Amino acid sequence: MDLSKRQSEIINAAIKLIGEGGIQALTIKNLSIEIGVVESALYRHFKSKTDVLSALLDYIESIMDSNFNGVKDLKIDPFEKIEKLIDSQLKFFADTPSYAVVILSDGLYKNDKILYDKLFDIMKVSRSTFATIIEEGQKEGAIRNDVASDQIAFIILGSIRLNVNQWGLSGFSFDLQKKGKVIFHTLKTLIKNPSNNSQNLYNKK
Amino acid sequence: MDLSKRQSEIINAAIKLIGEGGIQALTIKNLSIEIGVVESALYRHFKSKTDVLSALLDYIESIMDSNFNGVKDLKIDPFEKIEKLIDSQLKFFADTPSYAVVILSDGLYKNDKILYDKLFDIMKVSRSTFATIIEEGQKEGAIRNDVASDQIAFIILGSIRLNVNQWGLSGFSFDLQKKGKVIFHTLKTLIKNPSNNSQNLYNKK
Amino acid sequence: MDLSKRQSEIINAAIKLIGEGGIQALTIKNLSIEIGVVESALYRHFKSKTDVLSALLDYIESIMDSNFNGVKDLKIDPFEKIEKLIDSQLKFFADTPSYAVVILSDGLYKNDKILYDKLFDIMKVSRSTFATIIEEGQKEGAIRNDVASDQIAFIILGSIRLNVNQWGLSGFSFDLQKKGKVIFHTLKTLIKNPSNNSQNLYNKK
Amino acid sequence: MDLSKRQSEIINAAIKLIGEGGIQALTIKNLSIEIGVVESALYRHFKSKTDVLSALLDYIESIMDSNFNGVKDLKIDPFEKIEKLIDSQLKFFADTPSYAVVILSDGLYKNDKILYDKLFDIMKVSRSTFATIIEEGQKEGAIRNDVASDQIAFIILGSIRLNVNQWGLSGFSFDLQKKGKVIFHTLKTLIKNPSNNSQNLYNKK
DNA sequence: TATGAATGAGAATTCATTCAT
DNA sequence: CATGAATGAATTCTCATTCAT
């Protein structure tokens, strides 16, 4: 799973290509043109196109993981955590729309169990990260307790994803993060504990 | 927009093919084999492959519309409406997974603005249908008023979509409608008006 | 060879199509669209596409013949005759560029002996018309006698044809008849009898 | 513009195919059969069919240019130059009729501006070559001065072209060069300076 | 006369992959 | 490590023509 220099180059080329022309622009030919070698040369570095996608998914997963970890253990309000989490994910996509394209291009991996599993994994990690934070919030009393934490996580994830989805359909034409803020506030209103008077254990000034 | 018998046949073949092998299985060749004619014969009925997909999307939209309309004006509780709406949509996909595949295969229509727009449209109608019902519910006092109706609609849609998405990724292996019920209950808990004591204006006998 | 009403309609449609999109636009499908029937309906009127082209060539030939005849027997100076002849032919093409396209699309008829022969015929008639007039001019002493009449005819024809040719290549963008005038004057200078002092037997004022 | 070995092979195959079956025989499939590879293999050497034709036209142009240059600067009588020029061009076509087919297949390149422009270019070079020689002849007093040099060039070109044309229509059945000689003599008679008594400045021994 | 449906042949091009050098 | 060449399977689409109704 450790990538050679050339392999990284290829993955970066893949990202660029997808960003420019969608998942369909990711062909061995385009890839080879992008990195300035001949098509067959790529097969020294990846044994197949599926392997390239697989590495790409690994790469995306690793970034997302580190995004998550950067937020998970902060000593802040659970809502702030959720907000930061959503924002960091959307920033991740906004900065490099290719990642969004890859994540949203499920249908394509139908035949490749490996790719499928990777995607599934990524989604599972997202969901459990949110679920954990929510559970904490519920324990603290900040988040309502009458719904299961992973149900809330599911709803958050669905909202984020639909946001990214529509952004993609629109040709990346609106401000993804800004829209994310709005969604977050809606979600916050819905899931915060209405009977909670012990506000702001964290940042009280 | 009225389909001939043969055109319907082709659309049905398309649905079957997509159900069996994903959007990638939808080729002119497969289509022609499926309906038992030669490839060029298809071009008498649709002028291009894009046209087939376009008609397919129209068809899906029309069914979804009629699903919506079958529920929208019922004299029932807004939550029951939402529940029925979600359920009818999920039933629609569960009965014919191809529809889910088509709906979720954005990214693949990259080149065809027409198809993109149709997809967008379908999503818009869904969202506004939910939004209308929610607004009604808010006026009645059944649904909380501190969040915008179309924000709630967005969240519902995102949740449904993620559900369908994961179902697709899983190879249609779990019970889509059952999972939908769970999601509905979560959503209901989140959005119902906590201070509402005028329950069941509708079906009390 | 007498065309029915429908047949004439088809020929006219063919002319229109060729004018708009070149000889490649002349397809059974386009033809049928143009006259507002279904493709197979055309086969009631012409037994094949070759037959359409054949009739088209006949039509062109008949117009050219009548152009020729309108000039041939006028009681005017041979040069005026030649000038009128050239001009009427160029006007014929300028008015309906399709005719030029058809005439210049030899290569296409390679497989159809019938079409080939027709084209050959058209050219032969042109050439002999010119040759006859030149011979007359030579007898009168207006045209030099040291070159064979059909050689001169050949050169005139070649010049006209090259003119039409370049006009076609240029996308019909220059004034064909105007350029024809220039060519005529060059030709006249070259072929007139230098020792002829009995000028203007015809139109002397 | 430098052709690889395989590219030359392909161009030669194209020439052969055109010679045998006209421009319509030039298909990727025929080409690939001719050189003994699979169709897709051609695309390693030319990126499209238009590219093949383009290279073919370049090739033709280069031969014609070298033909021209072989004659242009000879220290001979302008008429001899013209004669040699005509003859070398006709020999070029007579040896390889495909070249004639390609040159005469305008109308077929309707869609490809590039090819059109190349054809136009070839004609322009021919014409200006003739024009230059004629101008020289006019200065020397060998060629009559009462007509513009490029007008004469136009007429020569038209005559040559018509000759080649009819030869093509006839199925390459007559002796192209022989007919060319006749035409040349006619042209010579027409364009030589009648009042020139300083004959043969060049080869008098 | 016209329609609707289908045929069969062919055309250009794309793509992932393999292999000898 | 990289190149050049080739493969084979697919893909969308076009076109002239035929035939039953």
Side-chain angles (χ1 to χ4, degrees):
Chain A
M1 302 259 163
D2 255 6
L3 298 183
S4 73
K5 206 172 153 190
R6 211 33 154 185
Q7 281 177 319
S8 299
E9 234 183 300
I10 293 171
I11 295 300
N12 283 325
I15 290 164
K16 189 177 170 209
L17 286 170
I18 293 170
E20 285 164 6
I23 200 85
Q24 343 212 29
L26 183 67
T27 66
I28 296 291
K29 174 155 205 173
N30 288 346
L31 225 32
S32 66
I33 291 172
E34 195 65 34
I35 64 170
V37 295
V38 106
E39 287 150 273
S40 50
L42 288 182
Y43 287 86
R44 290 278 148 192
H45 306 287
F46 288 103
K47 98 173 203 297
S48 72
K49 189 183 164 184
T50 295
D51 262 38
V52 176
L53 271 167
S54 179
L56 181 49
L57 283 173
D58 284 340
Y59 182 56
I60 291 177
E61 190 176 14
S62 75
I63 306 185
M64 285 178 73
D65 279 358
S66 85
N67 275 352
F68 288 150
N69 290 329
V71 173
K72 232 170 33 183
D73 300 324
L74 291 177
K75 290 274 169 255
I76 50 172
D77 192 290
F79 286 115
E80 277 187 77
K81 268 194 198 172
I82 292 169
E83 185 173 16
K84 274 199 193 316
L85 226 45
I86 291 176
D87 193 58
S88 77
Q89 266 213 62
L90 295 184
K91 182 170 163 31
F92 170 62
F93 290 136
D95 286 350
T96 314
S98 310
Y99 297 142
V101 174
V102 174
I103 291 288
L104 296 172
S105 292
D106 6 70
L108 232 67
Y109 314 133
K110 191 117 197 173
N111 312 317
D112 281 298
K113 179 102 174 62
I114 316 146
L115 301 181
Y116 245 66
D117 289 350
K118 290 231 157 100
L119 252 189
F120 221 97
D121 238 54
I122 291 178
M123 287 170 77
K124 215 155 54 188
V125 170
S126 285
R127 191 169 165 189
S128 77
T129 303
F130 276 107
T132 306
I133 293 171
I134 286 157
E135 216 170 334
E136 286 167 18
Q138 289 177 321
K139 278 183 192 143
E140 288 171 16
I143 296 178
R144 59 196 295 170
N145 229 315
D146 52 354
V147 278
S149 61
D150 78 312
Q151 279 296 307
I152 295 181
F154 184 91
I155 284 167
I156 295 176
L157 226 69
S159 304
I160 296 175
R161 203 182 156 92
L162 180 56
N163 189 22
V164 177
N165 220 87
Q166 294 193 335
W167 180 61
L169 274 174
S170 80
F172 314 111
S173 67
F174 60 79
D175 184 326
L176 185 65
Q177 288 176 266
K178 203 163 147 190
K179 182 104 183 273
K181 296 268 179 228
V182 178
I183 294 168
F184 165 72
H185 281 294
T186 303
L187 287 167
K188 183 179 176 186
T189 307
L190 294 180
I191 67 172
K192 76 170 174 230
N193 190 348
S195 58
N196 184 32
N197 20 24
S198 63
Q199 302 271 10
N200 262 13
L201 293 165
Y202 302 85
N203 295 322
K204 44 189 154 185
K205 306 183 187 151
Chain B
M1 304 253 165
D2 257 5
L3 298 182
S4 72
K5 206 170 154 190
R6 205 38 149 185
Q7 281 177 319
S8 300
E9 236 183 299
I10 293 171
I11 294 300
N12 284 326
I15 290 164
K16 189 177 167 207
L17 286 170
I18 292 171
E20 284 164 8
I23 203 87
Q24 343 212 32
L26 184 67
T27 67
I28 298 291
K29 176 138 211 165
N30 286 347
L31 225 31
S32 67
I33 291 171
E34 193 64 35
I35 64 168
V37 294
V38 105
E39 289 172 63
S40 53
L42 285 183
Y43 288 87
R44 183 144 308 264
H45 305 285
F46 288 102
K47 88 175 212 298
S48 71
K49 189 184 163 182
T50 295
D51 259 40
V52 176
L53 271 166
S54 180
L56 181 48
L57 284 174
D58 284 341
Y59 182 57
I60 291 177
E61 189 176 16
S62 77
I63 304 185
M64 286 178 73
D65 280 358
S66 87
N67 277 351
F68 287 151
N69 290 328
V71 173
K72 230 169 35 182
D73 300 323
L74 290 178
K75 290 272 169 257
I76 50 173
D77 191 290
F79 287 115
E80 277 187 74
K81 268 194 196 171
I82 292 168
E83 185 172 17
K84 274 198 194 317
L85 226 44
I86 291 176
D87 193 59
S88 78
Q89 267 213 60
L90 294 183
K91 181 172 165 29
F92 170 61
F93 290 136
D95 286 349
T96 316
S98 309
Y99 297 144
V101 175
V102 174
I103 290 289
L104 296 172
S105 293
D106 21 57
L108 293 176
Y109 311 136
K110 195 107 197 176
N111 313 319
D112 280 299
K113 178 104 175 57
I114 316 148
L115 300 182
Y116 249 63
D117 289 349
K118 286 221 160 111
L119 262 186
F120 220 97
D121 236 54
I122 291 179
M123 287 170 77
K124 215 158 52 188
V125 171
S126 286
R127 190 170 167 188
S128 79
T129 304
F130 276 109
T132 306
I133 294 172
I134 287 157
E135 214 169 333
E136 286 167 17
Q138 289 177 322
K139 277 183 192 143
E140 289 172 15
I143 295 178
R144 59 196 294 169
N145 230 316
D146 52 354
V147 279
S149 61
D150 78 311
Q151 279 296 307
I152 296 180
F154 184 91
I155 284 166
I156 295 175
L157 225 67
S159 305
I160 296 176
R161 208 183 151 92
L162 182 56
N163 188 23
V164 177
N165 219 88
Q166 294 194 333
W167 179 62
L169 272 174
S170 80
F172 315 112
S173 67
F174 60 78
D175 184 328
L176 185 65
Q177 287 175 268
K178 203 162 146 190
K179 182 104 182 272
K181 296 270 177 223
V182 178
I183 293 167
F184 165 72
H185 281 294
T186 302
L187 289 167
K188 183 180 177 184
T189 307
L190 295 179
I191 66 172
K192 75 171 175 231
N193 190 346
S195 58
N196 183 32
N197 22 23
S198 64
Q199 302 271 4
N200 260 14
L201 294 164
Y202 302 84
N203 293 321
K204 45 187 156 184
K205 301 194 183 140
Chain C
M1 303 258 161
D2 254 6
L3 297 182
S4 71
K5 206 173 154 188
R6 211 33 154 185
Q7 281 177 320
S8 299
E9 234 182 300
I10 293 171
I11 295 299
N12 284 325
I15 290 164
K16 190 179 169 208
L17 285 170
I18 293 169
E20 286 165 5
I23 201 85
Q24 342 211 33
L26 184 66
T27 65
I28 297 290
K29 173 153 204 175
N30 287 346
L31 225 32
S32 67
I33 291 172
E34 194 64 34
I35 64 170
V37 293
V38 106
E39 287 151 273
S40 50
L42 289 182
Y43 287 86
R44 290 278 148 192
H45 306 285
F46 289 103
K47 101 174 199 297
S48 70
K49 189 182 163 184
T50 296
D51 262 38
V52 176
L53 271 166
S54 179
L56 181 50
L57 283 172
D58 284 340
Y59 182 57
I60 291 177
E61 189 175 16
S62 77
I63 305 184
M64 286 179 73
D65 280 359
S66 87
N67 275 351
F68 288 150
N69 291 329
V71 174
K72 230 168 36 180
D73 300 323
L74 291 177
K75 289 276 170 253
I76 50 172
D77 193 288
F79 287 115
E80 279 187 73
K81 268 195 198 172
I82 292 168
E83 186 173 14
K84 275 197 192 318
L85 225 44
I86 291 175
D87 193 58
S88 76
Q89 266 214 59
L90 294 184
K91 181 172 164 28
F92 170 62
F93 290 135
D95 286 350
T96 315
S98 310
Y99 298 143
V101 174
V102 174
I103 292 287
L104 296 172
S105 293
D106 6 69
L108 231 68
Y109 315 133
K110 191 118 198 173
N111 312 317
D112 281 297
K113 179 102 176 61
I114 316 146
L115 300 180
Y116 245 66
D117 289 349
K118 288 229 158 103
L119 251 190
F120 221 97
D121 237 55
I122 290 177
M123 289 169 75
K124 213 155 57 187
V125 170
S126 284
R127 190 169 167 188
S128 80
T129 304
F130 276 107
T132 306
I133 294 172
I134 286 157
E135 215 169 333
E136 286 169 16
Q138 287 177 323
K139 278 183 189 140
E140 286 171 16
I143 295 178
R144 59 196 296 169
N145 229 316
D146 52 355
V147 278
S149 62
D150 77 313
Q151 280 296 307
I152 296 181
F154 184 91
I155 284 166
I156 294 176
L157 227 67
S159 305
I160 296 176
R161 202 183 156 91
L162 182 55
N163 188 21
V164 177
N165 220 89
Q166 293 193 335
W167 179 62
L169 274 175
S170 80
F172 315 110
S173 68
F174 60 78
D175 185 328
L176 185 66
Q177 288 175 268
K178 204 163 147 190
K179 182 107 183 271
K181 295 269 179 226
V182 177
I183 294 168
F184 166 72
H185 280 293
T186 303
L187 288 167
K188 182 179 177 185
T189 308
L190 294 179
I191 67 172
K192 75 170 173 229
N193 190 347
S195 57
N196 183 34
N197 22 24
S198 64
Q199 302 270 8
N200 262 12
L201 293 163
Y202 303 85
N203 294 324
K204 44 187 156 185
K205 309 182 183 154
Chain D
M1 303 248 166
D2 256 5
L3 297 183
S4 71
K5 207 171 153 188
R6 205 40 148 184
Q7 281 178 319
S8 300
E9 235 181 300
I10 293 170
I11 295 299
N12 284 326
I15 291 163
K16 189 178 168 208
L17 286 169
I18 292 170
E20 285 165 6
I23 203 86
Q24 343 211 32
L26 184 66
T27 66
I28 297 291
K29 174 138 213 166
N30 286 346
L31 225 32
S32 67
I33 291 171
E34 194 64 35
I35 65 168
V37 294
V38 103
E39 290 170 65
S40 54
L42 286 182
Y43 288 87
R44 183 144 309 263
H45 305 285
F46 289 103
K47 89 174 209 297
S48 71
K49 190 184 163 184
T50 295
D51 258 40
V52 175
L53 270 165
S54 181
L56 181 49
L57 283 173
D58 285 339
Y59 182 57
I60 292 177
E61 190 176 16
S62 77
I63 305 184
M64 286 179 72
D65 279 358
S66 88
N67 277 352
F68 288 150
N69 290 328
V71 173
K72 231 169 35 183
D73 299 323
L74 291 177
K75 289 273 169 256
I76 51 173
D77 192 289
F79 286 115
E80 277 186 77
K81 268 195 200 173
I82 292 169
E83 185 173 17
K84 274 198 195 314
L85 226 44
I86 291 175
D87 194 57
S88 77
Q89 267 214 59
L90 294 183
K91 182 172 164 26
F92 170 63
F93 289 135
D95 286 349
T96 315
S98 309
Y99 297 144
V101 175
V102 174
I103 290 289
L104 297 172
S105 291
D106 21 54
L108 293 177
Y109 311 135
K110 194 107 200 176
N111 313 319
D112 280 298
K113 179 105 176 53
I114 316 147
L115 300 181
Y116 249 62
D117 289 349
K118 286 221 159 111
L119 262 184
F120 221 96
D121 236 55
I122 291 178
M123 288 171 76
K124 214 157 54 186
V125 170
S126 285
R127 191 169 166 188
S128 80
T129 303
F130 277 109
T132 306
I133 294 172
I134 286 156
E135 215 169 333
E136 285 168 17
Q138 289 177 322
K139 278 184 190 141
E140 287 171 17
I143 295 178
R144 58 195 297 170
N145 230 316
D146 52 355
V147 278
S149 61
D150 79 311
Q151 280 296 307
I152 296 181
F154 185 91
I155 284 166
I156 295 176
L157 224 69
S159 305
I160 296 176
R161 205 181 154 93
L162 181 56
N163 188 23
V164 177
N165 219 88
Q166 293 193 335
W167 179 64
L169 272 174
S170 80
F172 315 112
S173 68
F174 60 78
D175 185 328
L176 185 66
Q177 287 175 270
K178 203 162 147 191
K179 181 105 183 271
K181 295 269 177 226
V182 178
I183 294 168
F184 165 72
H185 281 293
T186 303
L187 287 166
K188 183 180 177 183
T189 307
L190 294 179
I191 67 172
K192 74 169 176 232
N193 190 348
S195 59
N196 183 34
N197 21 25
S198 64
Q199 303 270 5
N200 261 15
L201 294 164
Y202 301 85
N203 294 322
K204 46 188 157 185
K205 302 192 183 143

